[in-house]
Amino acid sequence: MSLLLCFSGQIGSGKSSVSAAVATALGWRRTGFGDYLRTEIVRLGGDPNDRKVLQDLGQSRVDTDAAAFCRDVLAAGGFHPGDDFVIDGIRHINIFDILTTVSAPSQARLLFLGACETTRVARVETRPDAQDFARASAHRVEADLREALPQRADAVINGDQSLDRVVSDCLDVVKHWQQHLP
């Protein structure tokens, strides 16, 4: 049985870095909602590094046709149902539910990277949009990340640890899931 490994976490939790490292370690392809949105923003002539534009476009796609949004992101990443695949940037419960459906027969599993605000702020400080952290964290698109997604997750990983430790913990969880898939 195959897995669609879905990564979620607040801004600065490490989800993009961790998901890329996990995909590499597993030899699986990977995509992300942010990757897809940045490509779309460039195509539309906008600034792909403007987090507000990313958040607004993502929320607009969720509000307009969330299922089409999910299919578009998966297709852009080269996913085919039945593939082992990694996707990051899950910010809504309904997006995870849709991914669960459209990825069948792959089994969708949600990994939430939890990191305290101090860790997240420290990671974001090095980014060009660091001054936008507070506004971005309060955006509507981030709401499910506070409680709903961590509660719904199949596993919550401590994102305050080093990248190597977080990746190792994620790989341990994936190996466990692979051994116990129906």
Side-chain angles (χ1 to χ4, degrees), residues 29-175:
R29 283 178 298 172
R30 176 203 163 273
T31 195
F33 281 88
D35 300 331
Y36 174 83
L37 291 168
R38 281 182 193 85
T39 300
E40 284 299 294
I41 290 167
V42 167
R43 187 181 63 76
L44 296 169
D47 179 1
N49 298 312
D50 185 330
R51 185 174 296 277
K52 182 173 183 340
V53 172
L54 285 166
Q55 289 175 318
D56 290 347
L57 178 59
Q59 188 62 54
S60 172
R61 290 293 311 268
V62 169
D63 293 342
T64 302
D65 189 343
F69 184 30
C70 290
R71 286 190 300 271
D72 290 347
V73 172
L74 289 170
F79 173 80
H80 300 284
D83 286 352
D84 285 316
F85 199 82
V86 174
I87 185 168
D88 87 51
I90 313 315
R91 285 181 158 76
H92 302 278
I93 290 282
N94 67 320
I95 292 296
F96 178 68
D97 291 341
I98 292 165
L99 288 171
T100 298
T101 301
V102 301
S103 65
S106 298
Q107 298 287 309
R109 295 288 184 269
L110 182 61
L111 263 173
F112 187 87
L113 300 181
C116 70
E117 187 170 352
T118 305
T119 298
R120 294 184 303 107
V121 167
R123 290 177 180 158
V124 170
E125 280 179 347
T126 62
R127 299 180 188 172
D129 64 347
Q131 76 287 351
D132 193 38
F133 179 78
R135 186 221 47 87
S137 295
H139 193 282
R140 176 179 162 216
V141 77
E142 308 293 322
D144 281 1
L145 293 165
R146 290 181 199 78
E147 292 181 25
L149 282 162
Q151 290 172 0
R152 177 68 180 278
D154 296 291
V156 176
I157 303 293
N158 178 357
D160 290 324
Q161 306 172 94
S162 70
L163 177 63
D164 289 343
R165 181 76 254 159
V166 175
V167 169
S168 177
D169 288 353
C170 291
L171 291 171
D172 288 346
V173 168
V174 170
K175 288 174 189 165

